[in-house]
Amino acid sequence: MLIVTGASGQLGRKIIDNLLLHVPAERIGVSVRDPARVADLSAIGVRVRRGDYDDPESLVQAWEGAERLLLVSSNAAATGGDPLRQHAAAVAAAREVGVKRVLYTSQVSSCARSHFPPGRDHAATEAMLAESGLAWTAMRHGFYAASALMMNARGLEAGTIAAPQDGKVAWTTHDDLAAIDAALLAGVEVIDGPTPPLTGDEALDLADLARLASVITGKSISRTFISEKEMEANAQRGNVPEGSIAVMLGYYRAARAGEFETVDPTLGNILGRAPESMRVFLQESLR
C-alpha cells in the first residue's frame, strides 16, 4: 500500500489526485488528523485512517501495511511547534511498521547552514532518514509559486511590492510538485537520497514578478525596498507569530544568498513536459 500523510492539505490532496492516475484507489492509504475532511476519498476506495505526528501510536495504526510512505513535512515551526520532534516520531513509526521506502517533501534550501529556518529543519530531517536504516528519497521542492502571491498579496493589490532586498527564485507550482511526488511514490522512477532540485524552468525575483503582474493585470505595479527591521516591525504590529516572522525574514536572507535560484531539468524530465511557467501561473491566479 502507498500511504500519503497530510492528504487534507493543499499539496497532499493534489498528490492523491495524481496518484490515482498511476494506481487504483485500493492501493492508496491516507493519514490525516481529521478523517472527516477526506470522507470523499473513503467513498472511492482509498483507505482513510487518523494519523497525527503528535500521537505516534496513531501513526503506527494509520500506516499499517505501508510499502512506501510519502511524508509531507510539518509546518509546526511557524506557530511555535517542533517539526523535528514530529518528524523523528514519524521516522520511528515508519521503522516500526516496516515501510520499504520513505519519500519526504524537502526543499531546495535544505542545508544545516541555510538562512531559511525550514531549510535547516529539512536538512536535519534528511539526516534522520539517512541514519534510520530505511530506504529514503528527499524530494527537494522548488519554492512554491503560490507563496509568491501569498507573501505579496497586499502589494499586488496596492500597486507596490515593498519588501527587503531579495534574489532570484525558481518558483514551482503545487500542481507540478504534486505530479512528480505522486510519480516518485508510484515508482515511476526511483531516486535514493536527495533528489536534484525539483523546480520550474526560470528564476525570477520580486522585481520580475512585479513586471509580469503589471503586464497581466494592466495595472502598474512597482517594486520598492524596505529594511528587514521595518518589515519585522510591520509584522509585529499585525500580531504575526514570532516563528512566522523568523521564516519571513529568513526567506529574504536565503533568496539574497541564492538558495532558491537553481533551475534544474529533473522535474520536467520525469513528468515528460515543461513545468508551468510563472507567467501562466500568474495569468491564472490574477485574472
Side-chain angles (χ1 to χ4, degrees):
M1 180 162 281
L2 309 180
I3 303 292
V4 178
T5 71
S8 58
Q10 183 177 6
L11 178 67
R13 182 55 192 251
K14 288 179 181 289
I15 290 171
I16 294 297
D17 292 341
N18 280 274
L19 192 58
L20 286 164
L21 302 176
H22 295 281
V23 300
E26 292 74 19
R27 283 199 62 202
I28 301 172
V30 302
S31 167
V32 292
R33 283 181 294 180
D34 182 4
R37 294 184 61 186
V38 292
D40 60 311
L41 292 178
S42 182
I44 64 171
V46 172
R47 191 182 82 180
V48 176
R49 290 185 177 177
R50 178 183 173 273
D52 187 334
Y53 290 165
D54 289 320
D55 180 3
E57 291 185 5
S58 74
L59 301 181
V60 173
Q61 192 273 338
W63 300 348
E64 178 188 5
E67 175 187 357
R68 292 195 287 276
L69 167 71
L70 195 149
L71 184 64
V72 175
S73 58
S74 167
N75 62 358
T79 54
D82 185 353
L84 295 184
R85 179 183 57 79
Q86 293 179 327
H87 292 169
V91 172
R95 289 183 61 184
E96 181 173 345
V97 170
V99 173
K100 300 295 189 297
R101 177 174 293 273
V102 175
L103 296 96
Y104 169 70
T105 58
S106 187
Q107 212 239 15
V108 293
S109 65
S110 176
C111 176
R113 299 176 304 281
S114 174
H115 294 280
F116 190 50
R120 299 193 293 272
D121 290 342
H122 288 310
T125 302
E126 289 181 9
M128 288 181 201
L129 289 166
E131 296 167 1
S132 70
L134 296 165
W136 62 285
T137 302
M139 299 173 296
R140 289 192 170 175
H141 288 175
F143 212 102
Y144 293 145
S147 295
L149 293 182
M150 180 185 68
M151 292 187 299
N152 299 291
R154 290 184 181 178
L156 290 168
E157 179 65 26
T160 301
I161 296 177
Q165 181 67 50
D166 63 323
K168 300 285 186 179
V169 177
W171 303 102
T172 316
T173 67
H174 277 81
D175 286 345
D176 283 342
L177 291 171
I180 197 166
D181 289 354
L184 292 173
L185 180 60
V188 169
E189 186 163 328
V190 176
I191 299 175
D192 288 315
T195 67
L198 303 175
T199 70
D201 56 10
E202 60 182 343
L204 305 171
D205 59 20
L206 293 184
D208 296 324
L209 294 183
R211 285 192 289 270
L212 272 178
S214 295
V215 171
I216 290 167
T217 64
K219 179 175 69 175
S220 177
I221 299 173
S222 62
R223 166 71 165 107
T224 61
F225 298 91
I226 61 174
S227 69
E228 289 187 7
K229 286 186 177 181
E230 185 176 353
M231 169 164 273
E232 183 175 14
N234 291 339
Q236 289 171 338
R237 282 193 293 271
N239 295 317
V240 176
E242 288 300 318
S244 296
I245 293 175
V247 171
M248 185 188 312
L249 295 176
Y251 162 80
Y252 290 99
R253 296 165 187 165
R256 290 196 297 272
E259 293 187 30
F260 309 125
E261 69 181 4
T262 300
V263 172
D264 189 277
T266 298
L267 185 151
N269 288 344
I270 293 177
L271 295 184
R273 58 171 174 79
E276 183 176 345
S277 71
M278 200 59 177
R279 178 184 292 274
V280 170
F281 176 78
L282 290 176
Q283 285 173 336
E284 294 174 345
S285 302
L286 296 177
R287 63 187 178 191

